Amino acid sequence: MKVSLIVTMAGIYYRPVLSFAPTLLSSMTRQYGASTRLFADAVTEDVKSAAPPPAKKKVRTRRILSGVQPTGSLHLGNYLGAIKQWVEFQNTGEFASAENLDGEEFTEDENVEVINENFFCVVDLHAITVPQDPGELEESTLASAALYIAAGIDPKKSKVFVQSHVSAHAELAWLLNCATPMNWLERMIQFKDKAKKAGTESVGVGLFTYPVLMAADILLYQADRVPVGEDQRQHLELARDIVRRFNGEYCKGNPYKKRCKKAGVPSYPAFTEPEAMIVKAGGARVMSLTDGTNKMSKSDPADGSRINVLDPPKVIRNKVKRCKTDALPGIEWDNPERPEATNLLNIYAAVQPERTKEDILDEVKDMKWGDFKPVLAEAIVAHLEPIQKRYAEVRADEEYLRGVLKEGADAADEIAQKTLKSAKVAMGFSIPK
């Protein structure tokens, strides 16, 4: 089974696409015509005998696995940069354009029929790499799942689940931890940055090893392509290194083939080596309201730095009113000397997707900040209002929400357990009958 997977995690930012071994379909659709009814049958027979048979299409199942941490409240950056794009992919089958490490764009083969399978998870195992309040983690997890649905993720089209509800994620992460050299993790830039800020005495081992958990998330679903942002190149390269090391050490030779035969699993390597898809921003890159050069973040201690998806209208208006701007005249886009102006215009455009950049500039270019901020605030309020209303409905129906999460976890577990079994067989574990 060959798979093409997209993984995305906000905060950790994956973007996982899975595709299965192609099967063949045949198309028998033809159209025939004749100039008169008298000759219609004869012409049809001639066309039938002369026309070559239509080419058979391969079928590829593309599996999308994406997730956001449940820590704190989901903010506008999580929604516009990740969840909104998931919804668009779910409904259209098209993701943001992406290119490989050489700058070449990925394109779909017109002779391949693509069937999408969408999995969106709440990555609670990643959340606990920093301390969490046990009294809040469960509610944050359920609230995040409810927001996925409220934002447009349809459980009839996509599976929604909680990462820790599929035990294979944690179990495979441990197997890979034991196969990953420590110095590989010591090179990870994000760990160095976070450890420097917090101090190594207060940083848990989980923060050091979480890139291995990220690799497990990807490899469980046999991705051959993984769209990521620029900041995740290093983590994807680690996943590729882990695949090469694991397959090279455990998945070669006759002893491996004999173990596979005994366990009833295929004898090809346990993991597919993923290829990086550097995703071009399909949504707005939302920056902090207090510093246009830093991303909007749940970890920022200043709540005024972000707009939470569930903020009441009054709170949104106050945050926009107080957000940082500059003293220059007019409002313009993409001036590197005016990062706050670009950020606010990006937000304004993102919550009005039907409008063009030129249309927005014509409206706001001569405005003063005091005139623009109320207009921006009302646009944000109008965009979030239906999401907030739907969220209240979903979160109030606990039985429905938990049912959706169980169905999603069951579907994900069915896929993940197959990969986990192959990895265990490769390492020589005793497999229960």
Side-chain angles (χ1 to χ4, degrees):
M1 179 172 66
K2 185 180 179 182
V3 183
S4 266
L5 168 72
I6 293 180
V7 180
T8 56
M9 299 223 174
I12 290 181
Y13 196 76
Y14 301 24
R15 286 184 182 181
V17 181
L18 300 188
S19 106
F20 293 69
T23 54
L24 300 178
L25 293 180
S26 62
S27 171
M28 301 302 292
T29 304
R30 297 190 182 93
Q31 288 185 334
Y32 305 101
S35 56
T36 68
R37 184 178 181 85
L38 179 62
F39 296 104
D41 291 341
V43 173
T44 297
E45 289 302 319
D46 288 341
V47 172
K48 283 183 178 179
S49 60
K56 294 181 179 180
K57 280 194 172 185
K58 298 178 180 179
V59 176
R60 168 171 292 174
T61 299
R62 180 169 52 191
R63 191 174 300 133
I64 311 302
L65 173 66
S66 303
V68 172
Q69 291 189 36
T71 51
S73 298
L74 295 182
H75 55 67
L76 207 57
N78 300 137
Y79 166 66
L80 295 175
I83 301 173
K84 188 169 181 285
Q85 293 187 61
W86 303 349
V87 174
E88 291 173 356
F89 183 88
Q90 168 194 264
N91 294 335
T92 67
E94 297 179 0
F95 215 74
S97 59
E99 57 188 31
N100 62 22
L101 294 176
D102 297 323
E104 300 171 346
E105 288 196 3
F106 287 98
T107 57
E108 297 292 350
D109 187 340
E110 63 181 14
N111 295 317
V112 175
E113 179 181 352
V114 176
I115 299 174
N116 295 313
E117 289 185 356
N118 307 312
F119 291 81
F120 301 112
C121 64
V122 181
V123 289
D124 55 342
L125 294 176
H126 285 287
I128 63 170
T129 55
V130 295
Q132 299 297 321
D133 184 338
E136 296 179 359
L137 182 58
E138 181 180 26
E139 175 54 34
S140 295
T141 300
L142 294 175
S144 295
L147 267 175
Y148 289 5
I149 298 171
I153 298 299
D154 184 351
K156 295 179 181 178
K157 299 178 181 178
S158 307
K159 301 302 182 184
V160 181
F161 70 99
V162 177
Q163 184 186 24
S164 65
H165 293 183
V166 179
S167 61
H169 285 262
E171 194 169 353
L172 181 60
W174 175 249
L175 301 185
L176 298 182
N177 268 327
C178 295
T180 303
M182 190 168 178
N183 67 329
W184 289 6
L185 298 178
E186 289 173 340
R187 297 196 299 262
M188 296 295 105
I189 295 173
Q190 288 194 15
F191 171 75
K192 292 180 179 179
D193 292 343
K194 292 180 180 179
K196 185 177 180 179
K197 292 178 182 177
T200 53
E201 296 81 5
S202 60
V203 170
V205 175
L207 187 62
F208 181 67
T209 62
Y210 93 84
V212 180
L213 174 59
M214 186 186 300
D217 296 334
I218 297 170
L219 301 182
L220 276 173
Y221 299 90
Q222 299 294 350
D224 63 8
R225 292 182 185 177
V226 181
V228 294
E230 284 288 343
D231 59 341
Q232 291 300 314
R233 277 184 186 239
Q234 191 180 38
H235 290 153
L236 183 61
E237 285 303 321
L238 175 68
R240 289 163 60 88
D241 289 341
I242 291 172
V243 169
R244 295 187 196 113
R245 182 182 179 88
F246 190 98
N247 287 347
E249 187 166 342
Y250 296 109
C251 303
K252 288 184 177 180
N254 288 329
Y256 170 65
K257 293 179 180 178
K258 290 179 180 178
R259 292 197 300 275
C260 290
K261 184 176 181 180
K262 180 180 178 181
V265 299
S267 60
Y268 48 68
F271 303 122
T272 300
E273 184 175 330
E275 181 180 5
M277 296 178 72
I278 306 303
V279 176
K280 301 173 184 178
R285 182 177 173 84
V286 181
M287 313 304 282
S288 168
L289 296 182
T290 57
D291 182 354
T293 63
N294 288 326
K295 287 176 65 176
M296 188 174 286
S297 172
K298 290 184 284 187
S299 62
D300 192 321
D303 189 60
S305 68
R306 59 186 168 271
I307 293 173
N308 301 309
V309 176
L310 297 180
D311 277 343
K314 183 178 180 180
V315 173
I316 293 174
R317 294 184 183 107
N318 287 336
K319 287 181 177 180
V320 173
K321 183 178 180 180
R322 296 171 183 172
C323 72
K324 182 181 178 182
T325 52
D326 54 46
L328 298 176
I331 301 176
E332 58 181 331
W333 232 312
D334 299 328
N335 182 341
E337 302 299 321
R338 305 184 69 185
E340 286 77 26
T342 295
N343 183 42
L344 296 182
L345 284 172
N346 280 342
I347 294 174
Y348 191 53
V351 297
Q352 300 177 101
E354 72 285 352
R355 297 185 64 181
T356 65
K357 188 173 181 177
E358 292 72 21
D359 177 36
I360 290 173
L361 278 176
D362 286 343
E363 177 193 3
V364 306
K365 62 183 179 181
D366 296 324
M367 282 186 176
K368 296 180 180 179
W369 287 116
D371 299 323
F372 175 65
K373 284 184 176 182
V375 174
L376 171 61
E378 294 309 314
I380 296 172
V381 169
H383 188 84
L384 294 181
E385 183 180 17
I387 296 174
Q388 294 177 351
K389 182 178 179 181
R390 175 63 178 150
Y391 168 82
E393 295 171 353
V394 174
R395 189 64 194 92
D397 192 343
E398 183 104 356
E399 183 179 358
Y400 165 75
L401 179 59
R402 290 188 180 274
V404 167
L405 294 177
K406 185 180 186 308
E407 181 181 339
D410 289 346
D413 188 65
E414 183 178 355
I415 297 165
Q417 288 296 337
K418 293 178 181 178
T419 301
L420 179 62
K421 182 179 179 180
S422 293
K424 285 183 169 182
V425 169
M427 296 182 82
F429 281 92
S430 172
I431 306 299
K433 297 295 184 181

